[in-house]
Amino acid sequence: MPEWLQNGLPQLLTLEGLLRGVQTLLHILIIIVLARLAIGIGSRVIDHAFVASNGRTRFARWDDKRARTIASLVKSVAYYTIYFVAGVMILDGLGINTASLLAAAGIAGLAIGFGAQNLVQDVVAGFFILFEGQFQVGDYISTAGVSGIVEHIGLRTTWV
């Protein structure tokens, strides 16, 4: 149990308790601001890495749509990673033991991975769609009775 919860509410009403609470909230706020800053910088770096300033792709073999599609996927992975790390840091700042939480999540993830074979198949199919260029951001497609322009592609989802 976190230290600040062990003695209950009376400890939070003292000057030391209030200062500790404000310090914890400031710590959480700094983590959130740094995470948002990392997302903004990461987004710009990814855009710069895949698409040149003149709007053309930096890779000779890729067209603009493929570069935007891969950039969108890399951004998505970066966002989830940054949010996960920030969440763990916030929980750690609150005094929650994150080591046991991460170990339990790892074991649960392994068990779910064995049970979620359809998810794995979808992810593999998503990789093939992306890297073979079957369709990309900006293409007009018709699938499962829905037609439209592809706006975003992930490993399991396509927004039309």
Side-chain angles (χ1 to χ4, degrees), residues 85-139:
V85 170
V88 170
M89 289 175 69
I90 288 171
L91 289 175
D92 193 43
L94 291 173
I96 298 172
N97 185 3
T98 56
S100 60
L101 181 68
L102 289 174
I107 293 170
L110 186 62
I112 291 171
F114 282 125
Q117 291 181 0
N118 287 337
L119 173 68
V120 173
Q121 290 172 351
D122 290 345
V123 169
V124 170
F127 273 122
F128 282 120
I129 288 171
L130 289 173
F131 293 114
E132 290 179 355
Q134 294 176 5
F135 57 85
Q136 300 161 356
V137 173
D139 287 351

Side-chain angles (χ1 to χ4, degrees), residues 13 18 31-32 36 62 75 93 133 139 151:
L13 297 178
L18 287 175
I31 291 171
I32 292 170
R36 294 294 301 158
W62 291 0
K75 282 183 194 178
D139 287 351
E151 295 186 12

Side-chain angles (χ1 to χ4, degrees), residues 13-33:
L13 297 178
T14 65
L15 181 61
E16 182 182 331
L18 287 175
L19 288 175
R20 184 174 292 145
V22 168
Q23 182 182 14
T24 301
L25 287 175
L26 186 62
H27 185 247
I28 291 170
L29 182 64
I30 289 171
I31 291 171
I32 292 170
V33 167

Side-chain angles (χ1 to χ4, degrees), residues 77-92:
V77 170
Y79 293 168
Y80 288 127
T81 303
I82 290 169
Y83 284 137
F84 178 77
V85 170
V88 170
M89 289 175 69
I90 288 171
L91 289 175
D92 193 43

Side-chain angles (χ1 to χ4, degrees), residues 35-56:
R36 294 294 301 158
L37 186 64
I39 287 172
I41 291 171
S43 178
R44 287 190 178 141
V45 167
I46 291 167
D47 283 339
H48 182 73
F50 285 96
V51 180
S53 59
N54 61 3
R56 301 188 67 202

